[in-house]
Amino acid sequence: MRSTVSFYVCFLLSLCLGLACVVCVCVWNSHWRGGFAWDGSSLQFNWHPVLMVTGLVVLYGNGAVLYRVPLTWGQNKLPWKLLHATLMFLALILAIVGLCAVFDFHNAKGIANLYSLHSWIGIAATALFAFQWVVGMAGFLLPYSPESFRKLLKPIHVWMGAGIMTLSIAACISGINEKLFFVLTKDQPYTKLGPEAVLGNLLGVLIVAFGLVVLKMLSDHRWQRPDSRPEDIDYTPVLQEENE
C-alpha cells in the first residue's frame, strides 16, 4: 500500500513538473522571443524549443511510465501497449517537426546545421527514439512476434528508453543555455541574470527535476508491472475472434 501511494505521489509530481515545463517554455518563446510563425524567421525557430521540450521530454516521459501505473495492472495489456505506442509516436512527431523548424530557420539564414554539441546530442536522441519506436512496434505489437525475441528485447527496450530520456534532458538544457548566450545582448547580458535568464534557468531546472522523477519511477523495481501471463495472450484471442 505504501509503495502504491509513493508511486502516485511521484506520478502526480511528474505531471505537475511536466505541465510546468510546457508552460514555462511557451511563455519564454511567446513573451520574450516574440511568438511563433513558420516563415524562416526567428519566430519559426521558437517552435523548436517548445516542440522538443513538449515531445522529447514531457510526452516521452509520461509515455514511458505508463506501464508503471498500478491502475493498469491485472488488465489486458494490449490497450496499454497501444496507448504507450501512440503517446510515443506523438512525441516522435513533435520532435521531428521541432527539428524541421530549426533546420528551416538555419537554412533560411545561412547558418550551419549540426555543428554544436547540443545539436549532436539532440539528433542522436531523436534518431535513437525513432529506432526504438520501430523496433518496439515490431517486437511487442506485431502479431505472433516470437516470444524469445520479446524476452531478449524487453530489458534492452527499457534500458534504451531511460537512455533516450537522459539524452533528451541533456539536449534540452544545453540548448536552453546556448540560446540564452546567443540572444541576451550587452544591454541585458546573461551574467546580469535578468528576467529572461531566470526563466530560462528555471526551465532547465524543471526539465531536470521532471527527468529525475521519471527515471526514479522507471528504475524502482517495486513499481514494475507484474507479468502474470504470457505476452501473446494479450492479443492472440482477439485475432482468433476476428478470424472466426
Side-chain angles (χ1 to χ4, degrees), residues 2 74 77 83 110 144 163 200:
R2 180 180 296 180
K77 202 171 182 179
L83 181 57
Y144 305 112

Side-chain angles (χ1 to χ4, degrees), residues 16-17 22 29 52 56 76 84 107 119 149 170 192 198 215:
C16 293
L17 287 170
V22 174
N29 287 279
M52 301 309 276
L56 207 54
N76 189 324
H84 172 75
N107 293 337
S119 62
F149 177 66
K192 295 294 184 182
V198 171
L215 291 173

